[in-house]
Amino acid sequence: GENVEQHPSTLSVQEGDSAVIKCTYSDSASNYFPWYKQELGKRPQLIIDIRSNVGEKKDQRIAVTLNKTAKHFSLHITETQPEDSAVYFCAASSHRDDKIIFGKGTRLHILP
Amino acid sequence: AAGVIQSPRHLIKEKRETATLKCYPIPRHDTVYWYQQGPGQDPQFLISFYEKMQSDKGSIPDRFSAQQFSDYHSELNMSSLELGDSALYFCASSPAGNEQYFGPGTRLTVT
């Protein structure tokens, strides 16, 4: 089955700097890669996603890149703000079964 | 916009008791997923339903069962509860095409 690895587990960046979180997946059939943001005790919130027919997608300060050959995908947050502090999960799923397999999460701290 | 509704939001049960969690998907979403999230863990897929039929099964214990009803709401039934079942249980719904939107979760505490 699918296995998603996520790094780093914890990331601290100065407010205004950029943050990058990287993930790898194992199942070449995976074709959908969402990113979720989760604040303590709250639901995972879908913040951006990318499909395997696209290499990059951007939404304001958030961008995601996908390298299908290397089975890598990354989340980039620019001009970080205090409200970006949260746990971020990468995930992968395939059209075959649709269930989402999550990475272990990255706890992002934005330092004032 | 309407979101996924889960009830109850909090539930406290004793060991060996049973619990039923309910999920009301976003209108016109035909797929429902259940996830279990322990403290500091990533959400773990339990089970999913598409058009009222079970579509996939993950790491769901045999003590748990679930179904989706004609109005598309889903219920997760948990029996012989154990201390290790204490977790956040999320339901997510999806229209055709992968995107899953999570409900607020049910926090289950087993004492």
Side-chain angles (χ1 to χ4, degrees), chain B residues 28-87:
Chain B
R28 291 180 295 283
H29 283 196
D30 53 17
T31 309
V32 167
Y33 306 80
W34 286 97
Y35 292 86
Q36 178 192 58
Q37 186 177 30
Q41 305 290 316
D42 56 296
Q44 293 291 312
F45 171 73
L46 293 178
I47 195 167
S48 62
F49 293 87
Y50 169 70
E51 286 290 345
K52 292 155 279 186
M53 299 287 290
Q54 181 182 308
S55 55
D56 200 1
K57 201 169 179 179
S59 50
I60 184 169
D62 292 341
R63 301 177 288 108
F64 294 6
S65 65
Q67 56 183 322
Q68 187 178 32
F69 295 85
S70 58
D71 63 352
Y72 291 94
H73 95 273
S74 179
E75 294 184 4
L76 177 66
N77 299 293
M78 311 160 72
S79 62
S80 302
L81 288 169
E82 303 173 356
L83 295 178
D85 296 328
S86 295

Side-chain angles (χ1 to χ4, degrees), chain B residues 11 13 17-21 65 76-81 108 110:
Chain B
L11 190 58
K13 291 285 185 178
E17 285 192 317
T18 61
T20 298
L21 279 53
S65 65
L76 177 66
N77 299 293
M78 311 160 72
S79 62
S80 302
L81 288 169
L108 172 66
V110 181

Side-chain angles (χ1 to χ4, degrees), chain A residues 97-109:
Chain A
D97 52 27
D98 284 348
K99 66 173 180 278
I100 285 179
I101 303 299
F102 287 84
K104 294 300 181 189
T106 296
R107 184 171 297 280
L108 176 63
H109 299 277

Side-chain angles (χ1 to χ4, degrees), chain A residues 49-60:
Chain A
D49 55 14
I50 191 167
R51 297 186 187 275
S52 58
N53 58 348
V54 174
E56 185 172 356
K57 184 176 178 181
K58 191 173 182 181
D59 182 4
Q60 299 182 340

